[in-house]
C-alpha cells in the first residue's frame, strides 16, 4: 500500500512539473491558452 501512495505522489509531482513547463516562459502557448490550462489545473 505504501508503494501505491509513493507512485501517486510521483505522478502528481510529474503532472505539476508538466504544467509548470506549459505555463513557463519557454512555453509555445499564448497567454489565453496558458490561462485555460491554469484554470483546468
Amino acid at each position: 500500500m505504501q508503494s501505491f501512495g509513493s507512485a501517486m505522489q510521483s505522478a502528481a509531482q510529474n503532472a505539476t512539473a508538466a504544467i509548470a513547463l506549459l505555463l513557463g516562459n519557454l512555453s509555445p502557448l499564448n497567454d489565453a491558452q496558458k490561462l485555460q490550462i491554469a484554470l483546468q489545473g
Side-chain angles (χ1 to χ4, degrees):
M1 195 64 168
Q2 184 178 6
S3 64
F4 176 74
S6 178
M8 290 301 293
Q9 183 177 11
S10 178
Q13 289 172 341
N14 290 340
T16 301
I19 290 172
L21 284 175
L22 282 175
L23 300 180
N25 290 336
L26 300 177
S27 172
L29 304 177
N30 65 33
D31 289 341
Q33 292 169 321
K34 290 179 185 180
L35 176 61
Q36 288 303 314
I37 291 172
L39 291 174
Q40 290 173 5

